[in-house]
Amino acid sequence: MTMRLTFENVRWSEVWQASKDTLAMLGASLVFTIVLGLLLGVVLFLTSRHQLIAQPIVYFLLSVVVNVLRSVPFVILMIMIMPVTKAITGTTLGVQGTIPPLVVAAAPFFARLVETSLREVDRGVIEAAQAMGASRWDIVRRVLLLEAKPGLLAGITITAVTLVSYTAMAGVIGGGGLGDLALRYGYQRFQTDVMIVTVILLIILVQLLQMAGDYLVRRFSRK
Amino acid sequence: MAYDGWQGVIQLIELSDISKSYRTGSVSVEAIKHIDLTIAKGEIFGIIGHSGAGKSTLLRTVNLLERPTSGSVKVGGVELTKLSSSQLQKERRRIGMIFQHFNLLAMATVRDNIAFPLRLAKLSRAAIQTRVNELLQLVGLEAHADKYPAQLSGGQKQRVGIARALASNPDVLLCDEATSALDPQTTNAILDLLLDINKKLGITILLITHEMHVIRSICDRVAVIDGGEVVEMGDVLDVFLQPQHPTTKDFVSQVADSFDPRELIASSKGRLMKINYVGEITYEPLLFNAVRSTSVQFAILQGTVSRMKNTPYGQLVIEFIGEDQEIRQVIANLRDKGLEAGELA
Ligand SMILES: Nc1ncnc2c1ncn2[C@@H]1O[C@H](COP(=O)(O)OP(=O)(O)OP(=O)(O)O)[C@@H](O)[C@H]1O
Ligand SMILES: [Mg+2]
């Protein structure tokens, strides 16, 4: 097999469109993932043993749901929740059609990262806040989320990178984006040059996300 | 506010029959047992005990960070154990607390740490700024307002803790081993600050410690706690000069020169007396005056002349050599001056 890397098959307008689609999927799903994951993570943390709203049964049930969602491979999850996706967005295709499965897959993952970061918050600081007359809501808002900020930023970075690879997989069922491009031209039509271009773009995207995340974590670390 | 008529003292904190047990698995540990404690407005009250004695548990019942298994907790006449959680949150704003490990928000500046309780109380931005500036000045941290806790020394961190605890003008300040993580010099600076706050602002202070030095430096009264029970309680001076319980004696010996009376007795040629005195007479030539008209000679074998909070005191072991008759006269002279003199046994 000879490889001719002349990029003769690459249609740059299509690459540009696919890049925009990938960024749109990533951006939208990341926003929803952060909101839902943060909520779920805070609830997981608060209801766990010895914490502010210790509710072992609630914690156990949420924990099971999170574990189930995290153990189903993304591609299968996507197919499984198609009816839900259709009900929410009206389609299972294109950028819109990929957002619900992306969020359903990434939010539980991010929620665990949130729970872990909140666990790192010094118990003494929480106690000091209680002693000053803080309500539980005050503690979540003014203590936990503040003190866990570097950990949460690191968690968002990991989640964003994970989402990039999910968006690529979403191409499998017509999600669009760079993954879709790579699959259609690179794999199905043996246009290796297209595959290489898309992979390079994905690598650059991941690299940029990681660098931005690391920068923010450093910027907000106070230890 | 509870008013104790015949003493004319306002009781700010009243703990009655407080017990707390912890259950770990099937075993239940009684951390504190049937403790009664009354603390008057304006006093500095110390609780001392060895590790595991139950000090922290007891202190934390005062603001219900630890809910006692039984008993009543009244602060400023309000029974805290009967309050709803939002009522309790309001009452807690009148009870400041500082901690051994400071427990500051690592992600907030000194200024924001001090502003924390003010934001909880929903003060206006301008009011918060004014108050924070006052507090920064009170604890001497104006120059460090925009630093983060990680950039401060231990003593400075504790100052932030104190400013934060005082922000909402509390009636009481609870101190959980507030100086145990500090070096001796910084400890003294923080103790001076606490004493100052007590005097200037009239804030009642309840502190726990395992260092007798802390008690001696700033406390008015002390309770010694051992195995979850109060084994001795009283004015610091009394407890210090006449410790009764073995645990108390142990703590007192931390700060006194330790000596073994048996050794002294064995090598003694005359009569050994232990003499205690308190107050201004500490600085008078007492011994000289007492022996002047006799032929009795004396030797000081052991002694401390020091201050407890603001009261000077002395504690000496003296050997008197001379005729029995005359020694009795000398001792009588000393007792006339208000000294306590007892045979060293
Ligand atoms: N959360 C808890 N669960 C179980 N046992 C506890 C708990 N907190 C305290 N205890 C027990 O209660 C007893 C008193 O503890 P406490 O922390 O009040 O002691 P302390 O006098 O403050 O000691 P230290 O000087 O070491 O801080 C100890 O035997 C301790 O093991
Ligand atoms: Mg303790």
Side-chain angles (χ1 to χ4, degrees):
Chain A
M1 195 171 103
T2 53
M3 277 223 284
R4 288 177 305 129
L5 283 184
T6 57
F7 298 111
E8 59 181 357
N9 298 311
V10 181
R11 270 181 280 154
W12 294 102
S13 68
E14 224 173 315
V15 170
W16 175 236
Q17 183 58 43
S19 302
K20 281 200 293 188
D21 286 351
T22 291
L23 288 178
M25 282 190 276
L26 176 66
S29 60
L30 187 60
V31 169
F32 286 112
T33 298
I34 290 172
V35 173
L36 288 177
L38 210 52
L39 212 69
L40 186 56
V42 168
V43 173
L44 276 170
F45 173 74
L46 292 177
T47 55
S48 61
R49 263 154 56 91
H50 305 303
Q51 299 301 338
L52 293 174
I53 317 179
Q55 286 290 344
I57 296 173
V58 175
Y59 180 80
F60 176 76
L61 292 176
L62 283 176
S63 207
V64 167
V65 171
V66 165
N67 292 347
V68 167
L69 290 176
R70 288 189 54 199
S71 49
V72 179
F74 177 65
V75 182
I76 295 171
L77 184 79
M78 221 176 141
I79 296 165
M80 270 168 52
I81 68 158
M82 272 184 169
V84 181
T85 306
K86 184 127 194 177
I88 297 174
T89 65
T91 175
T92 61
L93 297 174
V95 171
Q96 274 186 15
T98 60
I99 291 172
L102 286 173
V103 173
V104 169
F109 172 70
F110 181 53
R112 281 295 189 204
L113 297 179
V114 170
E115 186 193 358
T116 313
S117 319
L118 297 183
R119 258 184 228 301
E120 297 285 308
V121 174
D122 182 3
R123 255 201 104 82
V125 180
I126 299 173
E127 277 198 342
Q130 283 178 308
M132 287 185 273
S135 66
R136 288 177 207 164
W137 171 236
D138 288 324
I139 290 173
V140 170
R141 199 161 62 104
R142 296 175 186 278
V143 179
L144 291 174
L145 294 183
L146 175 72
E147 291 291 280
K149 203 192 270 177
L152 294 176
L153 287 171
I156 289 173
T157 309
I158 296 172
T159 307
V161 169
T162 307
L163 273 171
V164 170
S165 76
Y166 284 178
T167 61
M169 277 192 264
V172 177
I173 39 178
L178 290 170
D180 184 35
L181 203 65
L183 210 69
R184 272 191 290 131
Y185 294 91
Y187 179 67
Q188 287 164 357
R189 299 188 201 161
F190 303 106
Q191 297 176 352
T192 311
D193 49 356
V194 177
M195 181 122 85
I196 287 174
V197 167
T198 56
V199 168
I200 287 175
L201 286 174
L202 288 171
I203 290 172
I204 291 173
L205 179 58
V206 167
Q207 198 62 39
L208 288 176
L209 285 170
Q210 190 64 49
M211 276 160 55
D214 288 347
Y215 169 75
L216 289 174
V217 172
R218 256 201 324 276
R219 165 99 174 59
F220 285 104
S221 287
R222 303 285 176 219
K223 297 266 151 124
Chain B
M1 197 153 287
Y3 193 75
D4 197 316
W6 66 272
Q7 275 187 326
V9 174
I10 295 169
Q11 304 298 352
L12 193 60
I13 301 174
E14 293 167 280
L15 304 180
S16 329
D17 201 17
I18 298 284
S19 296
K20 170 81 192 184
S21 42
Y22 290 108
R23 191 171 289 282
T24 35
S26 57
V27 231
S28 171
V29 184
E30 261 205 308
I32 50 176
K33 304 166 190 163
H34 307 286
I35 287 187
D36 293 299
L37 206 61
T38 313
I39 290 147
K41 190 167 170 49
E43 78 175 321
I44 303 185
F45 193 100
I47 296 170
I48 191 167
H50 290 298
S51 186
K55 305 181 293 290
S56 296
T57 308
L58 179 59
L59 188 79
R60 291 154 54 84
T61 61
V62 177
N63 58 5
L64 290 198
L65 275 184
E66 211 76 75
R67 205 168 262 279
T69 317
S70 64
S72 129
V73 179
K74 279 192 196 169
V75 178
V78 180
E79 174 61 60
L80 297 187
T81 57
K82 299 224 164 68
L83 299 180
S84 70
S85 59
S86 70
Q87 286 171 319
L88 178 61
Q89 281 156 21
K90 280 233 172 60
E91 287 302 320
R92 278 176 173 167
R93 291 180 195 162
R94 302 196 300 116
I95 308 172
M97 189 167 190
I98 58 175
F99 305 86
Q100 178 174 6
H101 299 296
F102 324 119
N103 298 354
L104 303 175
L105 290 164
M107 295 291 293
T109 59
V110 167
R111 189 180 286 286
D112 286 336
N113 266 289
I114 300 175
F116 187 92
L118 303 171
R119 298 214 169 99
L120 289 182
K122 305 215 161 43
L123 260 67
S124 74
R125 210 176 252 271
I128 291 177
Q129 193 173 1
T130 316
R131 182 79 185 122
V132 170
N133 287 338
E134 274 170 29
L135 290 156
L136 283 168
Q137 198 181 354
L138 177 74
V139 299
L141 286 179
E142 297 101 318
H144 305 282
D146 297 312
K147 288 191 178 166
Y148 287 87
Q151 299 167 290
L152 301 178
S153 72
Q156 289 168 335
K157 284 183 203 165
Q158 195 57 289
R159 284 170 190 274
V160 179
I162 291 172
R164 178 177 72 173
L166 296 179
S168 49
N169 284 312
D171 301 321
V172 191
L173 182 61
L174 306 177
C175 310
D176 188 347
E177 301 267 8
T179 58
S180 300
L182 306 175
D183 64 47
Q185 212 178 341
T186 316
T187 293
N188 287 336
I190 293 292
L191 292 178
D192 285 345
L193 178 62
L194 290 176
L195 197 57
D196 207 41
I197 285 162
N198 168 261
K199 274 197 204 132
K200 277 196 196 142
L201 309 175
I203 292 176
T204 307
I205 296 179
L206 176 55
L207 63 84
I208 62 174
T209 180
H210 58 261
E211 293 170 305
M212 197 63 196
H213 168 70
V214 172
I215 302 283
R216 185 173 74 161
S217 306
I218 66 168
C219 292
D220 300 305
R221 284 201 299 151
V222 60
V224 183
I225 167 168
D226 191 34
E229 289 172 295
V230 173
V231 295
E232 195 160 348
M233 172 151 65
D235 288 344
V236 172
L237 217 55
D238 296 341
V239 172
F240 200 82
L241 294 179
Q242 270 130 6
Q244 305 296 318
H245 193 272
T247 306
T248 318
K249 290 183 178 159
D250 208 26
F251 281 116
V252 170
S253 69
Q254 278 181 5
V255 282
D257 301 317
S258 54
F259 69 88
D260 188 350
R262 282 164 306 180
E263 222 169 85
L264 290 177
I265 294 167
S267 63
S268 155
K269 297 183 288 289
R271 209 165 146 192
L272 280 179
M273 301 293 294
K274 188 174 182 186
I275 294 176
N276 291 340
Y277 45 94
V278 173
E280 287 311 312
I281 55 171
T282 306
Y283 304 126
E284 288 173 23
L286 298 162
L287 285 167
F288 175 72
N289 287 337
V291 297
R292 183 158 64 164
S293 59
T294 67
S295 59
V296 172
Q297 292 181 311
F298 67 89
I300 299 173
L301 301 184
Q302 199 121 46
T304 315
V305 177
S306 184
R307 267 172 184 276
M308 223 168 296
K309 198 165 177 183
N310 296 314
T311 314
Y313 72 96
Q315 223 173 2
L316 304 176
V317 174
I318 292 175
E319 180 180 44
F320 291 107
I321 300 155
E323 285 182 24
D324 259 6
Q325 179 67 28
E326 281 194 319
I327 290 175
R328 270 200 294 277
Q329 182 57 48
V330 168
I331 291 169
N333 290 346
L334 288 172
R335 287 186 175 144
D336 280 349
K337 284 282 184 187
L339 277 71
E340 245 171 61
E343 207 87 33
L344 188 68

